[in-house]
Amino acid sequence: MPIEMPKGLPFSVDTWSPASDKKRHHFLTHAHWDHMAGLGAHFSYPVYATRLTKSLVLHYFPQLDESVFVEIEIGKTIIAKDPEGDFKVTAYDANHCPGAVMFLFEGTFGNILHTGDCRLTKDTVKNLPTKYIPNKKDIENIAQLDYVFLDCTFGRCSLEFPTKKAAIQQVKNCIKMHPNAQVVYLSCDLLGQEEILIEISKEFQSSIYVDQLSVPDCFQVISHIAPEIMTNDSSARFHVIGFPKLNERAARKFSEAHNNNEQEPLFIRPSTYWYASHEDAENLSLTDAERDEFGVWHICYSMHSSRYELEWALRHLKPKWVVSTTPPCLAMDLAYVKKHCFKTRLEADDPIWNLFNLSSPEKCATIACASNGNSEVGECTNASKSIVEDSKPDRKRKICSPLKKQEVTLFGRARLGLEETQLWEREEEEGENGKKKCHVLTMEKDLELEIVSVEPFIEQPSSLPVNISLKDKELQVDREKMEMALNGNKNQGDRSIYINESLKKMYRSRNVPVPRPLPSLVELMNSTKRVRLVLNPVKEE
């Protein structure tokens, strides 16, 4: 699923939404439906795509005009004119499906490789510029990619996929193992699987029946790429069949064959998803076809990179940052990302500032504030805060480290998994009717980056309405007791100092009891120690 590009970039890739309408340039990597969602409603000049992708899109969206597109050829570089500075774009083969490309962007925002959907085999990676991927191991990259927007579809799958060529050979072998099957149904209706059909047609010297009504997309693609392999004769041995309800269709065809005393037809599905989602995937064969409980034969044919291929590509490309174009958590599972793309401190020249349209601070490393035992977060003395300014000049975002290293408790940093980062900061300004309007600044760990976001809220009175239920009254009593505990005598070991004051107010503004931190492990152990009683023996007189 494509993701929105950060606001600091003048272009969008495979995204068609109200947010992408604000971009000045639009790029389409290939003509799969999940990358064209919304294209019919949100399109504007220019849309960059290959000629084949453009032809397919115009067929799917007849309301579009050809003048909206700018063709880009594989291996060619174009200059995109932009008011904030021209940038170069080069298209490279993505090894995914016909017309699919990766885009390499080079401009003032940095060097960005957007892979779209891809399979990063060694040959695919070596087609990239040698300055980013040198041929010799002992030569460092002349230039470095700032970001790679990466297809991590199978980033969590540990299987080593066979090559496309090897998988196609498995399909041929499966057909040869069933010479008596009068009909062979091939679940190859997806753009990118037509290579299988072409090779089968050559191997068995036979045309393939493609029904325009049942598989219209496949019919359209084959008409563009290899119309000579198609036939309208439904008596042909090879048929293209869609994947939806494949098991039900197979069961129906098997039943018909048994009732007519005929040989069972052969159903073949070349795909990786069945292998990746199988509960016993490690024991499945990747060199021969596997038959499931419905009688369908599966071959591991992948148009996406395996985990091993992703790791290999990243080790050679050596990007500074990796962003997953599939569910974001998948990139976090890659060993390269864990080792090289986690940063607790950002340099002033780090490209991340440009990516999110932020002007880099003079010192973006967090500054430890001088502290004493009773200081609260945000009250820094003898130290200046790092200030990050966004595109709105009337608002500044402040980033500051905690005053002191907190105790590791079950409620504190150990539980939240935070490292020397501030949980909440607050800025106040006058709102309407004299009410204080607050901005709560939260530090979020999203993808591989620490991003500062702003969530405004209006403080509510802490008292409950008069007409409250008995249950609400009990909650109010509990809240008051908790507040008394939090505001009690500090000499009695009050631990409320470990909760930010703005966090307390946020709980109270929503009429929720402020949670009290659990005691540290040392305190728990001390509290459970038993007192040894030494009794003086009574002497008998």
Side-chain angles (χ1 to χ4, degrees):
M1 180 65 65
I3 62 171
E4 296 281 358
M5 299 300 288
K7 65 179 183 179
L9 299 177
F11 56 84
S12 65
V13 180
D14 294 344
T15 308
W16 317 97
S17 65
S20 67
D21 289 341
K22 301 176 183 179
K23 302 292 186 178
R24 294 182 291 275
H25 307 270
H26 312 276
F27 293 83
L28 179 61
T29 59
H30 62 289
H32 276 161
W33 280 104
D34 57 331
H35 292 253
M36 298 187 296
L39 177 57
H42 301 279
F43 65 90
S44 60
Y45 176 86
V47 177
Y48 300 84
T50 58
R51 178 172 299 181
L52 177 59
T53 298
K54 182 190 75 171
S55 300
L56 294 175
V57 172
L58 291 175
H59 172 75
Y60 298 143
F61 301 95
Q63 71 271 27
L64 298 182
D65 191 88
E66 187 175 359
S67 61
V68 175
F69 291 87
V70 175
E71 289 187 12
I72 182 169
E73 299 179 21
I74 294 179
K76 300 297 183 180
T77 300
I78 63 173
I79 304 297
K81 301 294 183 180
D82 190 80
E84 294 186 0
D86 301 346
F87 57 93
K88 295 193 299 183
V89 185
T90 310
Y92 294 94
D93 180 25
N95 190 26
H96 180 64
C97 68
V101 292
M102 302 183 289
F103 288 114
L104 175 63
F105 302 93
E106 298 170 297
T108 56
F109 43 73
N111 304 319
I112 300 176
L113 176 65
H114 195 295
T115 66
D117 283 352
C118 67
R119 181 157 185 193
L120 294 176
T121 60
K122 294 183 179 180
D123 291 336
T124 305
V125 174
K126 289 179 180 178
N127 288 332
L128 296 173
T130 54
K131 63 180 180 179
Y132 296 118
I133 176 72
N135 294 324
K136 296 181 180 180
K137 295 182 179 179
D138 56 344
I139 298 179
E140 292 294 330
N141 302 41
I142 299 176
Q144 186 175 18
L145 290 170
D146 295 307
Y147 322 96
V148 171
F149 287 81
L150 186 63
D151 170 21
C152 299
T153 300
F154 294 113
R156 288 181 177 173
C157 182
S158 60
L159 300 177
E160 293 190 18
F161 305 152
T163 62
K164 288 184 178 181
K165 183 177 180 180
I168 293 175
Q169 186 60 47
Q170 291 182 38
V171 176
K172 296 178 182 178
N173 295 340
C174 185
I175 297 173
K176 293 176 181 179
M177 288 172 54
H178 300 82
N180 297 326
Q182 296 180 359
V183 182
V184 178
Y185 292 98
L186 302 167
S187 181
C188 299
D189 61 325
L190 184 64
L191 177 63
Q193 296 178 321
E194 60 288 320
E195 186 178 353
I196 301 174
L197 303 178
I198 294 173
E199 291 298 321
I200 289 176
S201 178
K202 291 180 181 178
E203 179 74 16
F204 298 95
Q205 297 295 311
S206 175
S207 298
I208 299 176
Y209 175 63
V210 183
D211 185 10
Q212 185 175 4
L213 296 178
S214 60
V215 283
D217 291 349
C218 180
F219 183 88
Q220 183 66 26
V221 172
I222 298 297
S223 300
H224 276 80
I225 299 174
E228 67 278 2
I229 72 170
M230 287 197 310
T231 180
N232 295 326
D233 185 5
S234 60
S235 64
R237 185 189 183 196
F238 298 99
H239 289 226
V240 174
I241 188 172
F243 168 69
K245 299 182 179 180
L246 178 62
N247 296 333
E248 297 178 10
R249 296 181 183 182
R252 186 169 59 253
K253 292 294 183 181
F254 291 150
S255 178
E256 292 176 0
H258 292 161
N259 294 335
N260 298 328
N261 295 322
E262 298 176 351
Q263 187 70 25
E264 283 188 353
L266 178 63
F267 282 81
I268 300 178
R269 184 196 176 196
S271 176
T272 308
Y273 288 96
W274 182 78
Y275 290 82
S277 60
H278 200 282
E279 59 183 7
D280 196 22
E282 297 296 333
N283 294 325
L284 296 176
S285 174
L286 298 178
T287 57
D288 296 297
E290 289 276 357
R291 190 173 189 266
D292 65 14
E293 64 271 24
F294 301 100
V296 178
W297 291 85
H298 296 265
I299 286 90
C300 188
Y301 179 85
S302 181
M303 297 185 291
H304 298 270
S305 306
S306 66
R307 183 188 182 103
Y308 171 80
E309 291 168 338
L310 292 174
E311 297 282 12
W312 183 90
L314 291 177
R315 286 198 305 269
H316 286 74
L317 292 173
K318 300 178 181 178
K320 294 180 181 178
W321 298 96
V322 178
V323 181
S324 175
T325 58
T326 44
C329 58
L330 297 184
M332 306 283 283
D333 295 327
L334 300 176
Y336 178 90
V337 175
K338 292 179 181 178
K339 185 176 181 180
H340 300 284
C341 299
F342 279 96
K343 297 182 181 180
T344 58
R345 296 173 180 236
L346 299 177
E347 302 297 333
D349 59 347
D350 196 289
I352 194 66
W353 304 113
N354 292 332
L355 188 67
F356 292 97
N357 199 24
L358 300 173
S359 53
S360 60
E362 296 179 0
K363 295 180 180 180
C364 52
T366 56
I367 301 174
C369 303
S371 64
N372 53 45
N374 297 327
S375 297
E376 290 287 337
V377 174
E379 297 177 357
C380 300
T381 59
N382 300 326
S384 60
K385 297 180 180 180
S386 298
I387 297 180
V388 181
E389 298 183 359
D390 62 8
S391 57
K392 296 183 179 181
D394 58 339
R395 181 169 61 197
K396 294 183 179 180
R397 301 174 178 179
K398 300 180 180 180
I399 305 176
C400 183
S401 63
L403 294 172
K404 59 182 292 185
K405 189 172 182 179
Q406 301 176 357
E407 277 189 278
V408 179
T409 67
L410 295 180
F411 184 80
R413 295 184 299 110
R415 179 181 175 186
L416 297 177
L418 302 178
E419 297 179 2
E420 298 300 315
T421 55
Q422 182 176 336
L423 293 182
W424 278 272
E425 267 191 40
R426 189 183 66 166
E427 291 181 352
E428 296 184 356
E429 64 183 43
E430 290 295 330
E432 297 179 359
N433 300 327
K435 295 184 179 179
K436 289 184 178 180
K437 188 175 181 181
C438 303
H439 295 282
V440 175
L441 306 185
T442 63
M443 293 295 295
E444 301 175 346
K445 285 196 172 182
D446 186 15
L447 304 179
E448 300 79 28
L449 318 175
E450 290 188 358
I451 305 171
V452 181
S453 64
V454 180
E455 178 187 358
F457 73 91
I458 304 298
E459 285 192 334
Q460 302 292 335
S462 59
S463 58
L464 291 173
V466 178
N467 53 343
I468 59 177
S469 63
L470 178 60
K471 184 176 180 180
D472 292 334
K473 289 182 179 180
E474 293 176 355
L475 292 176
Q476 174 69 358
V477 172
D478 292 339
R479 186 180 68 82
E480 293 176 355
K481 290 181 178 179
M482 186 64 68
E483 289 182 358
M484 291 177 62
L486 289 172
N487 298 322
N489 189 352
K490 295 184 178 180
N491 295 330
Q492 297 179 359
D494 178 24
R495 289 180 296 274
S496 63
I497 59 174
Y498 298 124
I499 301 181
N500 195 306
E501 184 63 28
S502 61
L503 177 57
K504 298 178 190 177
K505 291 184 178 181
M506 186 177 69
Y507 275 97
R508 293 166 182 164
S509 66
R510 299 178 182 179
N511 296 323
V512 178
V514 179
R516 185 179 182 182
L518 296 177
S520 65
L521 296 179
V522 176
E523 292 176 358
L524 285 174
M525 293 177 65
N526 292 335
S527 64
T528 57
K529 288 183 179 180
R530 295 183 179 180
V531 179
R532 294 184 60 186
L533 299 178
V534 180
L535 300 178
N536 295 326
V538 179
K539 295 182 181 181
E540 296 181 359
E541 296 181 354

